[in-house]
Amino acid sequence: MMESNLINWTLDNIGSRQRNGLTPPRDMRETIAQIKALPPLPGSALRILNLIADPSADARKLADIIELDPLLTAQITRWASSALYGYRGQITTVHDAITRVLGFDFVLDLALGLAVLAPLKSPKEGQIGTRMFWTHALASTRLMAQLAAVMPAATRPEPQALFLSGLMHNIGFPLLGHRFPDEFSYLSGLINANPSLAIFNLETFAFGLNHAEIGAWLMNVWSMPRMITDIVYHHHNPFYRGENHQLNLLTFYNDCLLGRLGIGDASNQVCPEDMPELLGLDEVVCLEILDSQNDDLVKILATAEQLTD
């Protein structure tokens, strides 16, 4: 239920700079319906999707695709050189990044995620800015893999699904900043004025829809794999029981845990007490894994800063 202090907020709470004092539309669906086109799926992403389906795919083919895109090449080599992976040698080519540090499967997933996100130009600062997006995405890819490792093998998601879910489930925020800058600015002000309220509830209250719906809309337009679209759309719904519900539950629980570290705003949401049990996890073990994330937090923040330069 929406808290009363949100129902009673006024424009004075968020400053007169927001939309020249005008309230943005309470329901953005009509605005979305009038949009003729979104940024096209980048060619790099399309080529990587085709490579995923190629049984003869190898490091050389992947490197060749990445090296067609100078920005993607720079991102992959910088990622491999980051403190997160502790490689002490010099990385000069994408092939080196794949074979010496990151591995084929990881770079395949990483390159797809980076290519998909490349055309979305969104503000850097704030709780929904690109710095926090990348901080949350990086932390999620690591934490979800560690949680999955202690799940029952029968229900453990595939590594590729884990990585892409962690990386992309909040893609609605960069899309909001890219396509709806006024609404993005307005929501940022609303978040600052109501720090104890969940962002998901704030945006639904303000616009009649949320970043999960906006992100899934983009995934559908780009014909991304159903698994990714499902997680983007349902990751705030722990009661979803569709085809990818175990992965969705893990994504939801990941967000709940990261909220305890101040990453994202899931600390303002209710996490069902039986969540670990539903995933076949021991809560004590999960909290120990979460504690270990603190050791990597400085490195994660530094890498997120690099990615938003």
Side-chain angles (χ1 to χ4, degrees):
M1 181 178 294
M2 199 68 64
E3 295 186 26
S4 60
N5 62 326
L6 175 59
I7 298 299
N8 296 326
W9 66 269
T10 67
L11 287 176
D12 291 338
N13 294 130
I14 59 173
S16 59
R17 293 178 298 170
Q18 306 296 332
R19 292 180 60 90
N20 298 319
L22 298 176
T23 305
R26 287 286 304 276
D27 193 327
M28 288 172 59
R29 287 180 173 83
E30 183 177 346
T31 303
I32 286 175
Q34 294 172 357
I35 292 175
K36 302 300 182 184
L38 284 169
L41 180 66
S44 296
L46 185 57
R47 287 188 286 270
I48 293 165
L49 284 171
N50 290 334
L51 186 66
I52 290 172
D54 181 355
S56 65
D58 58 18
R60 182 72 270 158
K61 287 185 177 180
L62 178 56
D64 288 345
I65 288 173
I66 292 170
E67 288 168 354
L68 291 172
D69 184 330
L71 177 60
L72 190 55
T73 297
Q75 288 176 311
I76 295 295
T77 53
R78 286 172 66 185
W79 196 296
S81 302
S82 76
L84 273 173
Y85 299 97
Y87 182 72
R88 297 183 180 277
Q90 187 175 9
I91 300 297
T92 58
T93 68
V94 173
H95 193 266
D96 286 346
I98 296 170
T99 57
R100 295 185 182 182
V101 186
L102 301 175
F104 175 81
D105 290 336
F106 183 87
V107 174
L108 186 70
D109 298 337
L110 175 61
L112 177 60
L114 291 171
V116 164
L117 289 159
L120 305 181
K121 308 304 180 186
S122 186
K124 177 178 178 177
E125 306 297 335
Q127 277 289 90
I128 56 174
T130 53
R131 183 196 289 116
M132 178 56 76
F133 171 86
W134 278 112
T135 300
H136 195 282
L138 289 167
S140 294
T141 58
R142 296 174 76 82
L143 181 58
M144 286 179 66
Q146 291 176 307
L147 293 174
V150 293
M151 285 178 65
T155 57
R156 184 181 304 149
E158 293 293 325
Q160 183 182 43
L162 287 168
F163 185 87
L164 291 176
S165 296
L167 188 68
M168 297 176 61
H169 67 279
N170 281 318
I171 195 172
F173 285 132
L175 176 59
L176 179 67
H178 175 85
R179 194 61 186 79
F180 305 102
D182 288 345
E183 285 77 7
F184 183 94
S185 177
Y186 186 87
L187 178 60
S188 294
L190 195 57
I191 292 166
N192 291 336
N194 297 276
S196 66
L197 299 183
I199 294 173
F200 184 80
N201 290 340
L202 286 169
E203 59 188 334
T204 303
F205 172 81
F207 305 134
L209 81 172
N210 51 66
H211 69 281
E213 294 172 275
I214 294 172
W217 168 50
L218 181 64
M219 296 296 94
N220 277 320
V221 169
W222 281 355
S223 300
M224 295 296 286
R226 171 67 183 273
M227 174 274 296
I228 299 175
T229 304
D230 279 353
I231 303 310
V232 169
Y233 185 74
H234 292 289
H235 71 272
H236 278 278
N237 178 14
F239 305 107
Y240 168 69
R241 291 298 181 269
E243 181 180 353
N244 296 296
H245 77 274
Q246 282 292 110
L247 179 59
N248 190 68
L249 281 175
L250 183 60
T251 307
F252 183 93
Y253 189 47
N254 164 82
D255 288 0
C256 289
L257 291 174
L258 289 179
R260 298 185 181 210
L261 300 182
I263 299 174
D265 79 322
S267 58
N268 295 331
Q269 295 185 166
V270 176
C271 185
E273 293 183 2
D274 63 347
M275 185 64 64
E277 181 182 350
L278 290 171
L279 289 163
L281 293 169
D282 182 320
E283 185 174 15
V284 173
V285 172
C286 293
L287 294 177
E288 290 173 352
I289 291 172
L290 181 66
D291 286 342
S292 71
Q293 297 297 303
N294 278 311
D295 297 335
D296 290 330
L297 195 51
V298 172
K299 297 175 184 178
I300 287 171
L301 291 170
T303 303
E305 188 68 36
Q306 280 186 339
L307 288 166
T308 52
D309 282 345

